[in-house]
C-alpha cells in the first residue's frame, strides 16, 4: 500500500524545484548530459525517477510505460527539436550578435519545454494515484541507487551498441555513479 506520508512530501516539493536543486549539485549536470548524449537518456525522465526515489517512491512499470510514450513524443517533437536547432546555431552565434540573441531565445524555449515536460510527469505521479495505481513504496539501499536508476530507464547493461570502447563504458558508469551518490545525499532545499 502506498505510504500517504511519502506522497504528501512528494506533493510538497514540486518536481521542477527538485530538478533545479539536483541538477545544480556538483557533477550532476555533466552526468546527465553524458547519459543524454551517449545513451539517449531522457534527462527529464531521469530527474522524475530521482524525485520519486528521494521520497521513497517509484513508478509502477505498466502505467509508467504508457506515460513514457507520451513524454517521448513531447521530447522528440518539441524539446529535441529546439535542442538540435540551438546546437546547430552555436557556430553562427559566435560570429553574429543577432544569431546569438536568437539562439538564447531558443535556449529559453528549450528550458520551458523541459519544464513543461517535468510538470506533466509531476501531474501524472500525483493525480489520483489511489484510483489508478501509478506509484509504490520503494526502499533503496545507497549501493543500489545506480542500478535502480538504470533499471527504471531500461539501461541495465553498459555494453550497448556504441559502447565498445572502455572509455565510453567508464564515462557512463561514472555518470550513473555520480547521480546515485547525489541522490543518496540529496536534501530538499528549504
Amino acid at each position: 500500500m502506498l505510504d500517504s506520508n511519502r506522497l504528501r512530501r512528494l506533493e510538497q516539493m514540486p518536481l521542477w524545484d527538485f530538478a533545479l536543486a539536483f541538477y545544480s549539485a556538483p557533477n550532476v549536470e555533466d552526468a546527465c548530459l553524458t547519459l543524454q548524449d551517449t545513451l539517449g537518456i531522457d534527462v527529464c525522465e531521469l530527474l522524475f525517477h530521482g524525485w520519486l526515489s528521494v521520497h521513497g517512491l517509484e513508478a509502477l512499470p505498466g502505467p509508467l510505460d504508457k506515460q513514457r510514450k507520451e513524454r517521448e513524443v513531447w521530447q522528440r517533437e518539441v524539446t529535441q527539436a529546439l535542442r538540435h536547432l540551438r546546437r546547430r546555431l552555436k557556430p553562427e552565434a559566435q560570429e553574429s550578435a543577432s544569431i546569438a540573441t536568437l539562439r538564447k531565445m531558443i535556449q529559453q524555449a528549450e528550458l520551458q519545454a523541459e519544464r513543461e515536460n517535468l510538470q506533466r510527469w509531476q501531474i501524472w505521479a500525483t493525480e489520483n494515484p489511489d484510483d489508478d495505481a501509478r506509484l509504490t513504496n520503494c526502499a533503496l539501499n545507497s549501493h543500489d541507487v545506480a542500478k535502480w536508476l538504470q533499471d527504471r530507464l531500461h539501461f541495465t547493461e553498459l555494453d550497448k551498441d556504441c559502447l565498445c570502447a572502455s572509455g565510453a563504458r567508464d564515462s557512463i558508469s561514472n555518470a550513473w555513479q555520480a547521480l546515485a551518490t547525489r541522490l543518496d545525499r540529496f536534501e530538499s532545499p528549504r
Side-chain angles (χ1 to χ4, degrees), residues 45-53 64 68 148 152-153:
E45 184 179 353
L46 186 148
L47 293 169
F48 168 72
H49 290 293
W51 176 64
L52 292 178
S53 76
L64 176 64
R68 177 180 283 137
W148 180 85
R152 298 292 76 72
L153 295 160

Side-chain angles (χ1 to χ4, degrees), residues 81-115:
L82 290 166
R83 181 178 305 125
H84 174 75
L85 185 55
R86 177 181 54 82
R87 287 179 176 177
R88 184 186 158 291
L89 291 174
K90 187 175 182 176
E92 292 177 54
Q94 294 172 349
E95 298 175 17
S96 167
S98 61
I99 298 294
T101 301
L102 174 61
R103 186 172 181 271
K104 185 74 170 164
M105 292 171 66
I106 292 167
Q107 184 177 31
Q108 291 170 347
E110 180 185 355
L111 183 62
Q112 185 59 37
E114 290 173 338
R115 185 175 188 165

Side-chain angles (χ1 to χ4, degrees), residues 22 27-28 30-32 34-36 38-42 45-47 49 142 144-158 160 163 168-184:
F22 183 68
N27 303 317
V28 171
D30 290 340
C32 287
T34 294
L35 296 173
Q36 173 184 280
T38 309
L39 296 176
I41 294 289
D42 176 355
E45 184 179 353
L46 186 148
L47 293 169
H49 290 293
S142 60
D144 294 336
V145 177
K147 180 168 179 0
W148 180 85
L149 263 179
Q150 292 174 48
D151 290 347
R152 298 292 76 72
L153 295 160
H154 300 292
F155 282 92
T156 55
E157 302 171 21
L158 290 178
K160 294 286 180 197
L163 304 179
R169 277 195 305 276
D170 291 346
S171 176
I172 290 165
S173 180
N174 290 339
W176 286 121
Q177 205 52 53
L179 294 174
T181 299
R182 288 294 164 198
L183 282 172
D184 190 43

